Amino acid sequence: MEEIFSALARAMAFGTPILLAALGEVVVERAGVVNLGVEGMMAVGALAAFAAAQTSGNPFLGVVAGVLAGGIAASAHAFVSVNLRANQFVSGLALTMLGLGLSGLLGNKYVGAPLEHPLAETGFTWAAVVLSIVIWLVLYFTRTGLVVRSVGENPAAADALGLEVYLVRYGATIFGGMMAGLAGAFLSLAYRPSWSDGMTSGLGWIAVALTIFVAWEPIRAVFGAFFFGLLYHLAFRLQGRLPSEMLLALPYLLVIVVLTLAALRRRQGNAPEGLGLPYERGTR
């Protein structure tokens, strides 16, 4: 029984950054914007959080720095995809490459330095669960949530009703970046209280896939994230019994399966109709 509880605890720890980033992506895509830059925003958030916490000696300032860094990075994607109406997929990929490259370059001086005052993992985990409930309530039981979903479903109709489509998409995209930054802060302040290049290890991509896997539903994201976390935990626990390469690839193989199944379906769950489509005022 003790081993079961230990496995569940580790699964929740592994799943926490995935859940935080996925919740942000749920909101972004509900507003009709695709952001594939989650991995890059997580890396930037992780570095900013560690640097701020290590410099100030206050890990909570590190959390704030990570959230702000993620939001700032996302604002670049919002400008390119909303204002310039560029291809959202290309913009997101560019953001990932830029975030990973920039964080790796600027973080060289912090490599190998342990964080003096780390935070507890459980605080982040429970915050992620509470945030999933809050986001669900906002999306389905408030006017703000109705506006976000309307903009994602039919931006032209929302515009005709007087809703600020550009502003809503900007806000949702920046919020998603802040959540990715928070996920990165968890990695460098709690889960592995240090900084190393590549510490996000593809978790941002899993968060993007999880968004589709749970059909853009915040509550389902909790169970999906902890399921992926359990896969990670099993990969480490079964090392020595099965090839480690195969075990470590399990979460990513599942991501590929999820995305393939989603692509084969005529309609990807309850995906917003306007998802990934740039909107220009005055067009339909």
Side-chain angles (χ1 to χ4, degrees), residues 147-163:
V147 169
V148 169
R149 290 185 289 118
S150 298
V151 167
E153 289 290 342
N154 193 330
D159 195 5
L161 291 173
L163 301 180

Side-chain angles (χ1 to χ4, degrees), residues 18-39:
I18 301 174
L19 176 57
L20 289 169
L23 289 173
E25 188 66 11
V26 165
V27 174
V28 176
E29 297 196 8
R30 280 290 187 181
V33 178
V34 175
N35 189 353
L36 298 183
V38 177
E39 182 85 3

Side-chain angles (χ1 to χ4, degrees), residues 225-245:
F226 293 152
F227 173 68
F228 277 109
L230 183 60
L231 288 180
Y232 269 101
H233 175 69
L234 291 176
F236 283 102
R237 287 293 299 270
L238 295 177
Q239 283 183 3
R241 303 179 188 178
L242 294 173
S244 59
E245 293 82 4

Side-chain angles (χ1 to χ4, degrees), residues 23-231:
L23 289 173
E25 188 66 11
V26 165
V27 174
V28 176
E29 297 196 8
R30 280 290 187 181
V33 178
V34 175
N35 189 353
L36 298 183
V38 177
E39 182 85 3
M41 295 185 298
M42 284 180 65
V44 169
L47 174 60
F50 182 82
Q54 193 77 324
T55 302
S56 67
N58 187 338
F60 294 102
L61 286 180
V63 174
V64 174
V67 170
L68 290 178
I72 292 171
S75 65
H77 177 67
F79 175 74
V80 172
S81 61
V82 177
N83 288 91
L84 301 183
R85 294 182 291 280
N87 187 295
Q88 297 177 12
F89 298 94
V90 174
S91 175
L93 289 172
L95 180 57
T96 284
M97 291 186 289
L98 178 63
L100 291 174
L102 190 63
S103 61
L105 177 64
L106 298 179
N108 279 332
K109 63 179 180 180
Y110 296 109
V111 175
L115 185 65
E116 295 182 4
H117 305 287
L119 293 173
E121 294 177 1
T122 52
F124 279 92
T125 301
W126 287 113
V129 174
V130 171
L131 280 170
S132 69
I133 298 173
V134 171
I135 291 172
W136 174 71
L137 291 173
V138 170
L139 280 177
Y140 291 103
F141 298 97
T142 68
R143 184 180 184 278
T144 299
L146 179 60
V147 169
V148 169
R149 290 185 289 118
S150 298
V151 167
E153 289 290 342
N154 193 330
D159 195 5
L161 291 173
L163 301 180
E164 295 291 341
V165 175
Y166 293 170
L167 183 61
V168 171
R169 288 190 167 184
Y170 250 93
T173 303
I174 292 174
F175 174 79
M178 293 171 70
M179 291 294 291
L182 181 59
F186 167 81
L187 292 174
S188 62
L189 299 181
Y191 181 71
R192 192 187 305 163
S194 60
W195 164 256
S196 61
D197 188 19
M199 71 184 307
T200 52
S201 303
L203 294 177
W205 293 111
I206 294 180
V208 173
L210 178 63
T211 304
I212 302 171
F213 181 64
V214 301
W216 297 268
E217 295 291 345
I219 299 299
R220 294 180 189 175
V222 177
F223 301 100
F226 293 152
F227 173 68
F228 277 109
L230 183 60
L231 288 180

Side-chain angles (χ1 to χ4, degrees), residues 246-269:
M246 183 184 73
L247 292 171
L248 291 175
L250 277 178
Y252 304 100
L253 290 175
L254 186 56
V255 167
I256 295 173
V257 172
V258 168
L259 293 177
T260 302
L261 291 176
L264 292 175
R265 296 169 63 180
R266 288 185 63 184
R267 179 171 171 79
Q268 300 172 355

